[in-house]
Amino acid sequence: MTKSVIPEVLSPAGSLEKLKVAIKYGANAVYLAGQKFGLRAAADNFTYTELKEGVEFAHKHDAKVYVVLNSFLHDKDLEDIEEFISYLNEIKVDSLIVSDLGVIKSIQQYSNIPIHLSTQASCLNRYSGKLWKKMGVERLILGRECSLEDAKKIKQATGLEVEMFIHGSMCMAYSGNCVISNYTQGRDSNRGGCAHSCRFEYSIQFNEEEQRKHSFFMSSKDLNGLRVLEDYIKAGIDSVKIEGRMKSHLYAGTMSKVYREALDYYREHGNFLSEKLEQWSQELEKVSHRAYAPVNLKQKAGSDTIFNERLIVKDQYKVIGQLMDKVDGEFGLLHVRSAFLPGDTLEVIPFRGEAFEVKVDKILTLNNEEIEKSKPSTLVKIPYHPQMEIINLVRMRLQA
Amino acid sequence: MKSVISIDSIADLNHAIEAGVNEVIISTKEFSRLGKFPIADLDKAIELTQNAHTDIVFNWDILMTDDMFMQQSLEISKLDLKKFKAIRLQDPGALEYILETTNYSVQWIVETGNHNLIGLKSWVSYIGNKLDRLVLSIEIPKERLQVYLQELSCDTELLVLGRILLFYTPRNLLTPLYHDHDDKKMQPIHSDFLMASGNSEESPHKGFPIVENRHGTYMFHIKDHYLMENLPELREMKLNYARIDLSELSLLGQVASMIKDGVADKSFKDIYPKDVIRGFYSVNKTDILFKKLKNHRIQRQDKNYRGKVLESLKESHLAIQVQQGKINCGDQLKFISPEGKMKELEIKNLRNIAGKDIESLEEGEIGLIKYHSGIIPMTVIYQNE
């Protein structure tokens, strides 16, 4: 029997801190951007030193770093690219994610860094894959419109590595084919300025006599591929990608952990026939999200993949913070993001295995003063637990 | 400069020929994203254009996932398109297929992205002598367009009058609002286009034309793209083809004539039935607002960076984390708060989180220093030079 290839878990790293969180929680690779050339101008993104530090941290933990240069660049944007590519070459990033042929050619001129074709290029079929292979691309990040069956055939026909999104927000438009922000907000959506106009409410009228219908008709449900993870493996997908460089530490950590644990389980057992599948699924529910759908993975996305609401699904949990330090046997030092009270039970998410509870009878400041309520952007001491590790994320169940 | 228009029917074709349009794009409903032309009328169209010495181009501009691509390419292979001047494509897969399996010339649509000369020249080089034309993006400002038209060794085309496509998805977004249906049981069949007008409830933009057909859903700009007053300079720049996308053809003769002569008739705007814009033709500053998207004061600068403030407890301490290098007692540090306030301080005492006095903090460690007003969480710390 041919042994299945287990795909890598590729997680978003919107900042150096999120990179560390994603890798500690199991990401095999992370994707991130420098201060320019990516598609998330509002994300923190990485300075030169942070990039170097991020690559060193990743390589030390056997993880890879892919740097996005997936904007559709104008001539003047390309003026600075040589220096940036040379630097990325020097610090040994593992690949560059690119959508623009001009950028591909520039990279090839200045370095030998492997090139992954961004989903932004909307590579959707085997002939498209063949063309990009001739352009020197080593991996295809397929358009989100592709099914797993499409992906399998593209991989077979091209022999290239194939990466597919498995989780997160979805563009409703073919990627690279939406310029609403350009014309309505003066921000180039294909150079990092997307204003997410597809998430707005619109009123629609089919004829002048008819009353307008209010709808979020352009908003897509979020992708969740956990239940069809086995199909990714059977299709030979090399990398499962989690969307969301703008999302929280909790998101980056939880997604990395769930998909890594699931794939590790498959590696060991050759199936997902486990009650853990339900547990992993529940973990995905604990992070802020829109309603989930498999979108295009098994069949063409239908009307049930439209998220016709403004708000995300009501959260079951809230992010409490992150463990910054600990004194063994004494306390864990929590950097608070959301308030909690004495008497609350917190859940600490370990890098591996199930979350464990910490009952907080009293909250102490660093001066050992007892306080009635923790405040965001403060450091507090919580009871020590032997499983606690620095960088662990902490959450709390919300009352029903 | 020659005129180009996409047509939907034999009646439209006759109208275009009569108006003196130089080239017609046959957009069929099967192969073109916004086409309506019946495939059964292809021979008739060829005959009419041959008689009129009008160029005729076949449009295959949809984007296709693999299963759809295999169906479409099979159907395309059954058509005899030799009598068409070229085949017009946007999907790189369709491009590769046509180059690999046919001798057809190609009009390559590079309207989305492709805003740099290196990329454009690379496409020209890749397609080689089968390239009939590049269809350029209307997001390219004229200062760059001028350079491209000089540097590119192929013919070029630009939309000078007509609809601006803002959004293209394969999903059916209007059908769910049009009538109740269960698309698990019923695949929507689009014998005609479903059309609507959309108002944004969260921005001042009203009246976006929205179209749904068998290939997906499209949203257009409220105003039409209008470079009719720039025709003389476009001619001077040596643009080869000016494309027109009119919803109604009564003005076609006048438009074709203006393009042919490269003249700007300012009064034409008065009779044009829609509001118009020049888009990014004069200038494209769609990256200018990016610097306002985040607080640059809290963004780390590499030089002399040491870390950040995690906690500010009034009258007690500042908790700081070292993220780069080391902080020692006696160091002169500069603190820049998220509001932009700057303070310079000498570190006289350092404590670790267990409350013990220490001499220095290493990278990754958290320590406490004396409280100073105005320094708040997220304040970034630099070594003073």
Short mmCIF file of all heavy atoms in Angstrom, two decimals, chain A residues 191-236:
data_model
loop_
_atom_site.label_atom_id
_atom_site.label_comp_id
_atom_site.label_asym_id
_atom_site.label_seq_id
_atom_site.Cartn_x
_atom_site.Cartn_y
_atom_site.Cartn_z
N ARG A 191 -3.47 45.51 -3.58
CA ARG A 191 -2.16 45.92 -3.05
C ARG A 191 -2.26 46.07 -1.53
O ARG A 191 -1.51 46.83 -0.93
CB ARG A 191 -1.69 47.22 -3.69
CG ARG A 191 -1.03 47.01 -5.04
CD ARG A 191 -0.29 48.26 -5.51
NE ARG A 191 -1.20 49.32 -5.88
CZ ARG A 191 -0.81 50.55 -6.18
NH1 ARG A 191 0.47 50.87 -6.13
NH2 ARG A 191 -1.70 51.47 -6.53
N GLY A 192 -3.23 45.43 -0.91
CA GLY A 192 -3.28 45.43 0.55
C GLY A 192 -4.34 46.32 1.17
O GLY A 192 -4.40 46.46 2.38
N GLY A 193 -5.19 46.92 0.36
CA GLY A 193 -6.14 47.89 0.91
C GLY A 193 -7.59 47.44 0.92
O GLY A 193 -8.48 48.29 1.03
N CYS A 194 -7.84 46.15 0.82
CA CYS A 194 -9.23 45.66 0.74
C CYS A 194 -10.06 46.20 1.91
O CYS A 194 -9.68 46.05 3.07
CB CYS A 194 -9.25 44.14 0.74
SG CYS A 194 -10.92 43.47 0.76
N ALA A 195 -11.19 46.82 1.60
CA ALA A 195 -12.06 47.40 2.64
C ALA A 195 -13.18 46.44 3.02
O ALA A 195 -14.07 46.80 3.78
CB ALA A 195 -12.63 48.72 2.16
N HIS A 196 -13.14 45.24 2.50
CA HIS A 196 -14.14 44.20 2.79
C HIS A 196 -15.56 44.67 2.48
O HIS A 196 -16.49 44.43 3.26
CB HIS A 196 -14.00 43.72 4.25
CG HIS A 196 -12.62 43.21 4.55
ND1 HIS A 196 -12.17 41.98 4.15
CD2 HIS A 196 -11.57 43.81 5.15
CE1 HIS A 196 -10.91 41.82 4.51
NE2 HIS A 196 -10.52 42.93 5.11
N SER A 197 -15.71 45.31 1.35
CA SER A 197 -17.02 45.80 0.93
C SER A 197 -18.00 44.64 0.73
O SER A 197 -19.21 44.84 0.80
CB SER A 197 -16.90 46.54 -0.40
OG SER A 197 -15.86 47.49 -0.33
N CYS A 198 -17.49 43.45 0.50
CA CYS A 198 -18.37 42.28 0.32
C CYS A 198 -19.06 41.91 1.62
O CYS A 198 -20.03 41.14 1.61
CB CYS A 198 -17.59 41.10 -0.25
SG CYS A 198 -16.20 40.62 0.79
N ARG A 199 -18.58 42.43 2.74
CA ARG A 199 -19.23 42.13 4.03
C ARG A 199 -20.30 43.16 4.37
O ARG A 199 -20.94 43.07 5.41
CB ARG A 199 -18.20 42.10 5.16
CG ARG A 199 -17.06 41.11 4.92
CD ARG A 199 -17.54 39.68 4.94
NE ARG A 199 -16.43 38.76 4.73
CZ ARG A 199 -16.58 37.46 4.52
NH1 ARG A 199 -17.78 36.91 4.48
NH2 ARG A 199 -15.53 36.68 4.33
N PHE A 200 -20.45 44.18 3.54
CA PHE A 200 -21.43 45.24 3.81
C PHE A 200 -22.84 44.73 3.55
O PHE A 200 -23.07 43.79 2.80
CB PHE A 200 -21.19 46.44 2.88
CG PHE A 200 -19.94 47.23 3.16
CD1 PHE A 200 -19.63 48.33 2.38
CD2 PHE A 200 -19.09 46.90 4.19
CE1 PHE A 200 -18.49 49.08 2.61
CE2 PHE A 200 -17.93 47.64 4.43
CZ PHE A 200 -17.63 48.73 3.64
N GLU A 201 -23.78 45.45 4.14
CA GLU A 201 -25.18 45.19 3.82
C GLU A 201 -25.56 45.99 2.57
O GLU A 201 -25.17 47.15 2.43
CB GLU A 201 -26.08 45.60 4.98
CG GLU A 201 -27.53 45.25 4.74
CD GLU A 201 -28.43 45.63 5.91
OE1 GLU A 201 -28.01 46.46 6.74
OE2 GLU A 201 -29.55 45.12 5.95
N TYR A 202 -26.30 45.35 1.70
CA TYR A 202 -26.79 46.01 0.49
C TYR A 202 -28.31 45.87 0.44
O TYR A 202 -28.87 44.95 1.04
CB TYR A 202 -26.19 45.36 -0.77
CG TYR A 202 -24.70 45.62 -0.92
CD1 TYR A 202 -23.76 44.87 -0.22
CD2 TYR A 202 -24.23 46.64 -1.75
CE1 TYR A 202 -22.40 45.11 -0.33
CE2 TYR A 202 -22.86 46.89 -1.88
CZ TYR A 202 -21.96 46.12 -1.17
OH TYR A 202 -20.61 46.37 -1.28
N SER A 203 -28.94 46.79 -0.26
CA SER A 203 -30.35 46.58 -0.57
C SER A 203 -30.45 46.37 -2.08
O SER A 203 -29.83 47.09 -2.86
CB SER A 203 -31.20 47.76 -0.11
OG SER A 203 -30.82 48.93 -0.77
N ILE A 204 -31.19 45.36 -2.42
CA ILE A 204 -31.25 44.90 -3.81
C ILE A 204 -32.66 45.11 -4.35
O ILE A 204 -33.65 44.82 -3.67
CB ILE A 204 -30.89 43.39 -3.89
CG1 ILE A 204 -29.52 43.13 -3.28
CG2 ILE A 204 -30.98 42.87 -5.32
CD1 ILE A 204 -28.35 43.75 -4.01
N GLN A 205 -32.72 45.57 -5.58
CA GLN A 205 -34.02 45.79 -6.22
C GLN A 205 -33.96 45.23 -7.64
O GLN A 205 -33.07 45.60 -8.41
CB GLN A 205 -34.30 47.29 -6.26
CG GLN A 205 -35.72 47.64 -6.58
CD GLN A 205 -35.96 49.14 -6.45
OE1 GLN A 205 -35.10 49.94 -6.81
NE2 GLN A 205 -37.12 49.51 -5.95
N PHE A 206 -34.90 44.36 -7.95
CA PHE A 206 -34.90 43.76 -9.28
C PHE A 206 -35.64 44.63 -10.30
O PHE A 206 -35.36 44.59 -11.48
CB PHE A 206 -35.51 42.35 -9.25
CG PHE A 206 -34.59 41.36 -8.60
CD1 PHE A 206 -34.69 41.07 -7.24
CD2 PHE A 206 -33.59 40.73 -9.33
CE1 PHE A 206 -33.83 40.19 -6.64
CE2 PHE A 206 -32.72 39.83 -8.74
CZ PHE A 206 -32.83 39.56 -7.38
N ASN A 207 -36.62 45.38 -9.82
CA ASN A 207 -37.28 46.35 -10.70
C ASN A 207 -37.83 47.48 -9.83
O ASN A 207 -37.92 47.35 -8.61
CB ASN A 207 -38.37 45.71 -11.55
CG ASN A 207 -39.41 45.04 -10.70
OD1 ASN A 207 -40.07 45.70 -9.89
ND2 ASN A 207 -39.54 43.72 -10.83
N GLU A 208 -38.15 48.56 -10.47
CA GLU A 208 -38.47 49.77 -9.70
C GLU A 208 -39.74 49.65 -8.87
O GLU A 208 -39.92 50.36 -7.89
CB GLU A 208 -38.56 50.97 -10.65
CG GLU A 208 -37.17 51.42 -11.08
CD GLU A 208 -37.18 52.61 -12.02
OE1 GLU A 208 -38.26 53.18 -12.23
OE2 GLU A 208 -36.11 52.92 -12.56
N GLU A 209 -40.63 48.76 -9.29
CA GLU A 209 -41.89 48.60 -8.54
C GLU A 209 -41.68 47.80 -7.25
O GLU A 209 -42.45 47.91 -6.31
CB GLU A 209 -42.94 47.86 -9.39
CG GLU A 209 -43.50 48.64 -10.57
CD GLU A 209 -42.54 48.65 -11.76
OE1 GLU A 209 -42.02 47.58 -12.11
OE2 GLU A 209 -42.28 49.75 -12.29
N GLU A 210 -40.62 47.05 -7.25
CA GLU A 210 -40.42 46.12 -6.15
C GLU A 210 -39.75 46.78 -4.95
O GLU A 210 -38.94 47.68 -5.12
CB GLU A 210 -39.51 44.99 -6.66
CG GLU A 210 -39.44 43.81 -5.76
CD GLU A 210 -38.33 42.86 -6.23
OE1 GLU A 210 -37.17 43.31 -6.30
OE2 GLU A 210 -38.64 41.72 -6.52
N GLN A 211 -40.13 46.33 -3.77
CA GLN A 211 -39.48 46.85 -2.56
C GLN A 211 -38.05 46.30 -2.49
O GLN A 211 -37.80 45.16 -2.89
CB GLN A 211 -40.27 46.36 -1.35
CG GLN A 211 -40.01 47.20 -0.14
CD GLN A 211 -40.90 46.81 1.02
OE1 GLN A 211 -41.71 45.90 0.94
NE2 GLN A 211 -40.73 47.53 2.11
N ARG A 212 -37.15 47.12 -1.97
CA ARG A 212 -35.75 46.69 -1.91
C ARG A 212 -35.59 45.59 -0.86
O ARG A 212 -36.19 45.63 0.21
CB ARG A 212 -34.85 47.87 -1.55
CG ARG A 212 -34.98 49.05 -2.48
CD ARG A 212 -33.82 50.02 -2.30
NE ARG A 212 -32.62 49.52 -2.95
CZ ARG A 212 -32.31 49.76 -4.22
NH1 ARG A 212 -33.08 50.52 -4.96
NH2 ARG A 212 -31.21 49.26 -4.74
N LYS A 213 -34.76 44.60 -1.17
CA LYS A 213 -34.50 43.52 -0.22
C LYS A 213 -33.12 43.73 0.41
O LYS A 213 -32.14 43.87 -0.31
CB LYS A 213 -34.52 42.17 -0.95
CG LYS A 213 -35.89 41.78 -1.43
CD LYS A 213 -35.83 40.51 -2.26
CE LYS A 213 -37.22 40.15 -2.74
NZ LYS A 213 -37.24 39.10 -3.76
N HIS A 214 -33.09 43.77 1.72
CA HIS A 214 -31.82 43.98 2.40
C HIS A 214 -31.09 42.65 2.57
O HIS A 214 -31.70 41.66 2.98
CB HIS A 214 -32.05 44.65 3.75
CG HIS A 214 -32.43 46.09 3.62
ND1 HIS A 214 -31.59 47.11 3.95
CD2 HIS A 214 -33.54 46.66 3.11
CE1 HIS A 214 -32.18 48.26 3.68
NE2 HIS A 214 -33.38 48.01 3.18
N SER A 215 -29.82 42.68 2.27
CA SER A 215 -29.09 41.41 2.31
C SER A 215 -27.59 41.65 2.36
O SER A 215 -27.09 42.62 1.83
CB SER A 215 -29.43 40.62 1.03
OG SER A 215 -28.60 39.49 0.93
N PHE A 216 -26.92 40.69 3.00
CA PHE A 216 -25.44 40.65 2.92
C PHE A 216 -25.11 39.65 1.82
O PHE A 216 -24.45 38.64 2.05
CB PHE A 216 -24.86 40.21 4.26
CG PHE A 216 -25.15 41.18 5.38
CD1 PHE A 216 -26.33 41.09 6.10
CD2 PHE A 216 -24.25 42.17 5.70
CE1 PHE A 216 -26.61 41.99 7.12
CE2 PHE A 216 -24.51 43.08 6.72
CZ PHE A 216 -25.70 42.99 7.43
N PHE A 217 -25.59 39.93 0.65
CA PHE A 217 -25.61 38.92 -0.41
C PHE A 217 -24.23 38.56 -0.93
O PHE A 217 -24.06 37.53 -1.58
CB PHE A 217 -26.52 39.37 -1.56
CG PHE A 217 -25.90 40.37 -2.50
CD1 PHE A 217 -25.66 40.03 -3.82
CD2 PHE A 217 -25.56 41.63 -2.08
CE1 PHE A 217 -25.08 40.94 -4.70
CE2 PHE A 217 -24.98 42.54 -2.94
CZ PHE A 217 -24.75 42.20 -4.24
N MET A 218 -23.23 39.42 -0.66
CA MET A 218 -21.87 39.15 -1.16
C MET A 218 -20.95 38.54 -0.11
O MET A 218 -19.76 38.39 -0.34
CB MET A 218 -21.23 40.44 -1.67
CG MET A 218 -21.58 40.76 -3.10
SD MET A 218 -20.41 41.92 -3.80
CE MET A 218 -20.98 43.43 -3.08
N SER A 219 -21.50 38.25 1.07
CA SER A 219 -20.66 37.78 2.17
C SER A 219 -20.66 36.24 2.22
O SER A 219 -21.71 35.62 2.25
CB SER A 219 -21.20 38.35 3.48
OG SER A 219 -20.41 37.94 4.56
N SER A 220 -19.50 35.68 2.24
CA SER A 220 -19.40 34.21 2.24
C SER A 220 -19.28 33.67 3.66
O SER A 220 -18.68 34.30 4.54
CB SER A 220 -18.16 33.78 1.45
OG SER A 220 -18.01 32.38 1.51
N LYS A 221 -19.83 32.49 3.86
CA LYS A 221 -19.56 31.77 5.11
C LYS A 221 -18.08 31.41 5.15
O LYS A 221 -17.40 31.41 4.13
CB LYS A 221 -20.40 30.49 5.17
CG LYS A 221 -21.88 30.75 5.46
CD LYS A 221 -22.65 29.44 5.59
CE LYS A 221 -24.13 29.73 5.81
NZ LYS A 221 -24.94 28.48 5.78
N ASP A 222 -17.61 31.10 6.34
CA ASP A 222 -16.20 30.71 6.50
C ASP A 222 -16.00 29.26 6.09
O ASP A 222 -16.88 28.42 6.27
CB ASP A 222 -15.77 30.89 7.97
CG ASP A 222 -15.57 32.35 8.34
OD1 ASP A 222 -15.69 33.22 7.44
OD2 ASP A 222 -15.31 32.62 9.53
N LEU A 223 -14.82 29.01 5.58
CA LEU A 223 -14.45 27.65 5.20
C LEU A 223 -14.05 26.85 6.43
O LEU A 223 -13.34 27.37 7.30
CB LEU A 223 -13.27 27.71 4.22
CG LEU A 223 -12.68 26.37 3.74
CD1 LEU A 223 -13.69 25.63 2.87
CD2 LEU A 223 -11.39 26.61 2.97
N ASN A 224 -14.52 25.62 6.50
CA ASN A 224 -14.07 24.69 7.54
C ASN A 224 -13.92 23.33 6.89
O ASN A 224 -14.91 22.71 6.50
CB ASN A 224 -15.11 24.65 8.67
CG ASN A 224 -14.75 23.65 9.77
OD1 ASN A 224 -13.85 22.83 9.59
ND2 ASN A 224 -15.44 23.73 10.88
N GLY A 225 -12.68 22.89 6.75
CA GLY A 225 -12.43 21.65 6.03
C GLY A 225 -12.10 20.47 6.94
O GLY A 225 -11.67 19.43 6.45
N LEU A 226 -12.31 20.63 8.25
CA LEU A 226 -11.91 19.56 9.17
C LEU A 226 -12.57 18.22 8.83
O LEU A 226 -11.91 17.19 8.81
CB LEU A 226 -12.25 19.97 10.62
CG LEU A 226 -11.90 18.91 11.67
CD1 LEU A 226 -10.40 18.73 11.79
CD2 LEU A 226 -12.50 19.27 13.02
N ARG A 227 -13.87 18.28 8.53
CA ARG A 227 -14.61 17.03 8.30
C ARG A 227 -14.22 16.34 6.99
O ARG A 227 -14.59 15.19 6.78
CB ARG A 227 -16.12 17.30 8.29
CG ARG A 227 -16.64 17.89 9.58
CD ARG A 227 -17.00 16.80 10.56
NE ARG A 227 -17.44 17.36 11.84
CZ ARG A 227 -17.73 16.63 12.90
NH1 ARG A 227 -17.62 15.31 12.85
NH2 ARG A 227 -18.11 17.19 14.01
N VAL A 228 -13.55 17.07 6.13
CA VAL A 228 -13.12 16.43 4.87
C VAL A 228 -11.59 16.39 4.77
O VAL A 228 -11.03 16.28 3.69
CB VAL A 228 -13.73 17.16 3.63
CG1 VAL A 228 -15.21 16.93 3.55
CG2 VAL A 228 -13.40 18.64 3.62
N LEU A 229 -10.96 16.43 5.94
CA LEU A 229 -9.50 16.43 5.97
C LEU A 229 -8.92 15.18 5.29
O LEU A 229 -7.89 15.25 4.61
CB LEU A 229 -9.04 16.53 7.43
CG LEU A 229 -7.57 16.83 7.71
CD1 LEU A 229 -7.04 18.00 6.91
CD2 LEU A 229 -7.37 17.09 9.21
N GLU A 230 -9.61 14.08 5.46
CA GLU A 230 -9.14 12.85 4.83
C GLU A 230 -9.14 12.99 3.30
O GLU A 230 -8.27 12.44 2.62
CB GLU A 230 -10.02 11.68 5.25
CG GLU A 230 -9.44 10.34 4.83
CD GLU A 230 -10.08 9.17 5.54
OE1 GLU A 230 -11.12 9.35 6.21
OE2 GLU A 230 -9.54 8.05 5.44
N ASP A 231 -10.10 13.74 2.79
CA ASP A 231 -10.14 13.95 1.33
C ASP A 231 -8.95 14.79 0.86
O ASP A 231 -8.48 14.63 -0.26
CB ASP A 231 -11.45 14.62 0.92
CG ASP A 231 -12.64 13.70 1.18
OD1 ASP A 231 -12.54 12.51 0.86
OD2 ASP A 231 -13.65 14.18 1.73
N TYR A 232 -8.51 15.71 1.69
CA TYR A 232 -7.29 16.48 1.35
C TYR A 232 -6.11 15.50 1.23
O TYR A 232 -5.31 15.61 0.31
CB TYR A 232 -6.96 17.49 2.45
CG TYR A 232 -7.73 18.80 2.42
CD1 TYR A 232 -9.02 18.89 2.93
CD2 TYR A 232 -7.16 19.96 1.91
CE1 TYR A 232 -9.71 20.10 2.93
CE2 TYR A 232 -7.84 21.17 1.90
CZ TYR A 232 -9.13 21.23 2.41
OH TYR A 232 -9.80 22.43 2.40
N ILE A 233 -6.03 14.59 2.18
CA ILE A 233 -4.90 13.64 2.17
C ILE A 233 -5.00 12.76 0.93
O ILE A 233 -4.02 12.57 0.21
CB ILE A 233 -4.92 12.79 3.46
CG1 ILE A 233 -4.72 13.70 4.68
CG2 ILE A 233 -3.84 11.70 3.41
CD1 ILE A 233 -5.05 13.05 6.01
N LYS A 234 -6.21 12.26 0.66
CA LYS A 234 -6.37 11.36 -0.50
C LYS A 234 -6.15 12.09 -1.82
O LYS A 234 -5.76 11.47 -2.81
CB LYS A 234 -7.76 10.73 -0.45
CG LYS A 234 -7.85 9.69 0.66
CD LYS A 234 -9.19 9.03 0.71
CE LYS A 234 -9.16 7.91 1.75
NZ LYS A 234 -10.51 7.45 2.09
N ALA A 235 -6.41 13.37 -1.83
CA ALA A 235 -6.17 14.15 -3.07
C ALA A 235 -4.69 14.49 -3.24
O ALA A 235 -4.30 15.02 -4.26
CB ALA A 235 -7.01 15.44 -3.04
N GLY A 236 -3.91 14.18 -2.22
CA GLY A 236 -2.47 14.43 -2.31
C GLY A 236 -2.07 15.88 -2.07
O GLY A 236 -0.99 16.32 -2.50
#
